Amino acid sequence: MRIGLFVTCLTDTLFPDTGKAVVTVLERLGHQVDFPAGQSCCGQMHFNTGYRREAVPMARGFTAAFGGFEAVVTPSASCASMVREYFPALAAEAADPGLARAVAEVAPRTHELSVFLADVLGVTDVGGYFPHRVTYHPSCHSLRMLRVGDAPLRLLRAVRGLDLADLPDAEACCGFGGTFAVKNADVSAAICADKVAAVRMSGAEVLCAADNSCLMHIGGALDRQRSGVAVMHLAEILARTEDGR
Amino acid sequence: MTAPSGGSMPTYLGMPSFPAAARTAVADSQLRANLTHATHAIRAKRAGAVAELSDWEELRQAAKAIKDHTLAHLDTYLLRLEANVTRAGGHVHWAAGADEANAIVAGLVRGAGADGIVKVKSMATQETGLNEALAADGITALETDLAELIVQLGHDRPSHILVPAIHRNRAEIREIFRTRMPDAPAGLTDDPQALAAAARAHLRQAFLSAEVGVSGANFAIAETGSLVVVESEGNGRMCVTLPRTLISVVGIEKVLPSWRDLEVFLALLPRSSTAERMNPYTSTWTGITPGDGPENFHLVLLDNGRTSALADRTGRQALRCIRCSACLNVCPVYERVGGHAYGSPYPGPIGAILTPQLRGMTDPLDQSLPYASSLCGACYDVCPVKIDIPTVLVHLRGKIVLVVG
């Protein structure tokens, strides 16, 4: 299958290894992965902060970059839900029938990585090896917007050597919330403190999620506490093999 | 009714915007401990009560459909309600805003020759600032719900829709009773039963001597002109049956077409709010009945920004709210901040979408409320009337950006 990688702005600028890991996993499964250089942000940050008009060109840019692929795969449940859930409304608001058609064509073929692997391709064992104790934080948008269900957990359970630890109060928000973390920094940090305590209680060496935005937020706090707990995107764990790659 | 306009909540004027108030609240470790304990306990109980019903999703869908239909035909059902309340011997008053509603109530209390009232817990009168308005008129209002009494005695503000004193633990409540309740028994402990007994004794004489009772209503049934109050303590039952005059201040969105519709909401509300299969007291009354209960009944129908909210296609779903508080109890922001920072009797996720719509979005506090959320979506999942709170939050942010830039 010819797949377009939608890397997302946050992963591109802060966690480029995640993008490389997505390519590794998809190529290992025999797919061709392209990276359209014209891609940019999905516009969720603008949209969720109230700048709806400013998000419209981002939606146009997305459809221009990703039209024509059999599937578009992204390592972010949050950005995937923006494309799938909110692009249609945005196109309608902009009264742009061309954009609406383009969105109708590309949005249903845009998938978050774990859903694409486990549900679209029907693969849970992607050949990964990761001999560490890992706990998984289900991001709010993966859980309650995109409703990925247990797809990430099925993938993690199939990784050889991986010891999956329960995360107390796992479904609670980490407090990031995009610009919420800027506009209400004190509340955001207070929410994060409880998530960090739960991660430490899990006894895991690695905290995993399907969204780097949450991992950036929780990981920052884990680092400042010198907790010794690392954060890794799901793709990076799935990409690891016995060869150490 | 007058043209759509913003309502007001006079008691909350001049409060700081959410981030500033929240910063102070988050730093209060006692408050956070009280809130974490309380919200986690009710959250787990609610989940259990909801899981007992196999048709929960169908009930939610039905409730949403009933409310949407009623809101789309509000003019029809309100006039039907008015006609049937009047036919049953009640009097209906229409109030466009908070001041008008308060003035109507004050006039009715004076007309009854009284200088005090006993109150059922009511969100509508918290919204209008009725107690403060009556006090300015020389009329004393006594809150008879235990938590509202704690708030009133503590010269405090409610911080939760269902549990107004959720920010207080029992040691703090004992201290409030000991210092502010003149007839508090000597040696009062912080045992919950002892605290409730002290409040019961304090309120009993007021119930028996009150000339006027004031309530809100959870529901108003248009087909018969009946009002419904759902409660746990029985104080509401006292207030709506013992005084000679009963005044009910009710938001116009509380109307339901028929008794058949009520069934759906009586299944949803107790499980969502107190995690009970059924609440202990459900009081219903229709106008007046000679020789039984109040001799005079007045219904004050309150707009206070509701028709303005109704004009917004996306925002109007906030008017489906039945004030259960499930969204507060699951909200990560509310759990850390409590209710006071929201600057309104409606805190938490529902407050963040309801308050700005009722008051208009001209004040910095109201402009900050739709941003008081991480958009985690937990509120939408538990809402018994399926209000898509995250979508409304983002929608309102869009409106605020157009105003503020």
Side-chain angles (χ1 to χ4, degrees), chain B residues 57-106:
Chain B
E57 193 50 39
E58 287 85 350
L59 282 166
R60 291 176 81 204
Q61 192 56 45
K64 172 182 186 286
I66 291 165
K67 282 284 187 181
D68 282 348
H69 166 84
T70 312
L71 289 168
H73 301 91
L74 200 52
D75 49 349
T76 303
Y77 290 116
L78 285 172
L79 291 174
R80 191 172 297 169
L81 177 71
E82 178 185 37
N84 287 323
V85 169
T86 307
R87 185 173 304 139
H91 302 274
V92 176
H93 311 260
W94 299 83
D99 293 343
E100 196 179 338
N102 294 340
I104 291 168
V105 175

Side-chain angles (χ1 to χ4, degrees), chain A residues 7-191:
Chain A
V7 75
T8 82
C9 55
L10 190 135
T11 289
D12 191 32
T13 49
L14 296 172
F15 302 93
D17 287 347
T18 301
K20 294 178 196 166
V22 175
V23 175
T24 302
V25 172
L26 293 174
E27 287 185 344
R28 190 190 296 153
L29 296 173
H31 300 286
Q32 182 196 331
V33 184
D34 286 353
F35 182 85
Q39 66 179 286
S40 178
C41 167
C42 67
Q44 182 180 195
M45 187 170 64
H46 313 67
F47 183 81
N48 278 354
T49 312
Y51 295 88
R52 298 172 88 100
R53 280 185 307 207
E54 288 78 358
V56 174
M58 317 298 252
R60 280 200 195 100
F62 182 93
T63 57
F66 290 105
F69 285 100
E70 280 174 82
V72 180
V73 173
T74 180
S76 166
S78 191
C79 303
S81 57
M82 176 67 193
V83 173
R84 294 177 66 97
E85 305 291 324
Y86 284 132
F87 270 16
L90 211 50
E93 257 176 50
D96 182 340
L99 178 60
R101 275 195 300 277
V103 165
E105 195 254 338
V106 75
R109 290 186 291 106
T110 302
H111 303 285
E112 182 275 329
L113 177 67
S114 70
V115 171
F116 182 72
L117 294 172
D119 296 339
V120 178
L121 298 180
V123 180
T124 47
D125 183 354
V126 299
Y129 171 72
F130 193 70
H132 297 282
R133 190 168 164 83
V134 175
T135 196
Y136 176 74
H137 163 68
S139 70
C140 297
H141 287 178
S142 75
L143 202 63
R144 287 178 283 264
M145 269 187 82
L146 209 54
R147 311 238 174 229
V148 306
D150 66 347
L153 291 172
R154 280 185 278 147
L155 289 158
L156 286 172
R157 286 193 193 106
V159 172
R160 286 186 307 286
L162 190 145
D163 176 14
L164 192 60
D166 280 341
L167 179 65
D169 210 7
E171 298 188 354
C173 176
C174 73
F176 176 58
T179 54
F180 173 76
V182 180
K183 288 177 175 286
N184 283 282
D186 303 271
V187 186
S188 175
I191 299 171

Side-chain angles (χ1 to χ4, degrees), chain B residues 67-231:
Chain B
K67 282 284 187 181
D68 282 348
H69 166 84
T70 312
L71 289 168
H73 301 91
L74 200 52
D75 49 349
T76 303
Y77 290 116
L78 285 172
L79 291 174
R80 191 172 297 169
L81 177 71
E82 178 185 37
N84 287 323
V85 169
T86 307
R87 185 173 304 139
H91 302 274
V92 176
H93 311 260
W94 299 83
D99 293 343
E100 196 179 338
N102 294 340
I104 291 168
V105 175
L108 291 170
V109 176
R110 286 279 178 235
D115 59 4
I117 60 165
V118 287
K119 281 187 73 194
V120 186
K121 176 171 166 24
S122 137
M123 295 308 298
T125 59
Q126 288 286 359
E127 180 186 321
T128 64
L130 178 66
N131 293 3
E132 292 75 9
L134 290 181
D137 237 353
I139 299 167
T140 310
L142 177 67
E143 295 287 353
T144 68
D145 171 84
L146 177 54
E148 291 285 6
L149 177 66
I150 293 163
V151 167
Q152 187 177 41
L153 288 172
H155 303 298
D156 199 357
R157 281 180 182 153
S159 70
H160 190 281
I161 293 174
L162 181 78
V163 197
I166 195 170
H167 56 289
R168 298 291 196 190
N169 64 26
R170 61 198 210 187
E172 294 172 284
I173 294 166
R174 171 187 175 269
E175 196 54 25
I176 291 169
F177 279 11
R178 213 180 53 78
T179 54
R180 301 274 168 75
M181 203 160 75
D183 50 350
L188 179 66
T189 68
D190 67 357
D191 171 51
Q193 284 195 13
L195 293 170
R200 185 177 287 124
H202 174 70
L203 293 168
R204 185 63 44 150
Q205 193 50 45
F207 285 134
L208 293 173
S209 60
E211 286 293 317
V212 180
V214 172
S215 82
N218 295 95
F219 308 99
I221 313 291
E223 70 175 350
T224 54
S226 309
L227 295 199
V228 182
V229 163
V230 172
E231 48 138 356

Side-chain angles (χ1 to χ4, degrees), chain B residues 267-387:
Chain B
L268 288 166
L269 180 54
R271 286 178 197 264
S272 296
S273 57
T274 52
E276 291 169 305
R277 291 170 181 155
M278 190 180 180
N279 50 287
Y281 294 87
T282 301
S283 299
T284 72
W285 68 96
T286 306
I288 54 163
T289 306
D292 180 14
E295 295 160 20
N296 309 295
F297 171 58
H298 297 271
L299 171 61
V300 182
L301 287 167
L302 177 71
D303 183 341
N304 206 34
R306 285 161 176 76
T307 48
S308 171
L310 191 59
D312 185 316
R313 285 170 187 277
T314 303
R316 66 172 60 142
Q317 57 186 301
L319 297 177
R320 293 204 294 258
C321 175
I322 54 173
R323 315 283 189 257
C324 74
S325 312
C327 64
L328 278 60
N329 299 331
V330 297
C331 177
V333 177
Y334 180 87
E335 182 187 333
R336 274 75 184 191
V337 173
H340 289 154
Y342 293 83
S344 155
Y346 306 111
I350 186 61
I353 62 169
L354 191 57
T355 304
Q357 293 200 85
L358 293 181
R359 290 198 293 221
M361 285 168 277
T362 51
D363 183 87
L365 168 61
D366 295 328
Q367 289 168 352
S368 71
L369 287 176
Y371 291 93
S373 165
S374 66
L375 303 177
C376 87
C379 48
Y380 184 23
D381 273 9
V382 297
C383 178
V385 291
K386 297 190 79 156
I387 302 170

